[in-house]
Amino acid sequence: IGKNAKQNDLLTLKFAKPNDTWLHAKDVTGSHVVIKEIPGQQVPEYIIEEAASYAAFYSKRKNDTLCPVMVTKKKYVRKKKGLPPGAVIVEKERVILVEPSPVS
């Protein structure tokens, strides 16, 4: 979980691998969340939902009842030259609704 824009860039662009699962609250600023891939295994939906609740909590939507969170593979997240720290372009995402929840 990135704690600020610079950490989001490091997490997403340097440490995340192409098939890792990437999450972020939709249309607001907030933390990037990455679930590391285990080769040959699919990430269970309950893990994606839990990670999405963290992305929701560590965003501007933390006080919403339900928050839309984008989920995609890291290979569909890119940064165009000139974008500010933390800003990325996301493709092929699906959106899930979750209750914001802090990491326990």
Side-chain angles (χ1 to χ4, degrees), residues 3-20:
K3 299 295 183 191
N4 57 44
K6 272 189 174 177
Q7 283 188 8
N8 283 344
D9 274 355
L10 277 174
L11 176 66
T12 299
L13 304 172
K14 185 166 179 132
F15 295 113
K17 302 288 185 229
N19 284 321
D20 290 345

Side-chain angles (χ1 to χ4, degrees), residues 63-75:
N63 295 317
D64 290 3
T65 305
L66 286 176
C67 172
V69 174
M70 298 181 292
V71 181
T72 192
K73 293 291 186 183
K74 189 276 173 192
K75 63 186 168 189

Side-chain angles (χ1 to χ4, degrees), residues 11-12 16-24 32-38 41-44 47-49 51-52 70-75 77 94:
L11 176 66
T12 299
K17 302 288 185 229
N19 284 321
D20 290 345
T21 302
W22 182 91
L23 304 96
H24 189 278
H32 295 192
V33 177
V34 172
I35 303 169
K36 299 299 285 177
E37 175 202 29
I38 299 173
Q41 292 185 24
Q42 189 170 356
V43 179
I47 297 289
I48 292 171
E49 289 172 4
M70 298 181 292
V71 181
T72 192
K73 293 291 186 183
K74 189 276 173 192
K75 63 186 168 189
V77 180
R94 66 183 171 114

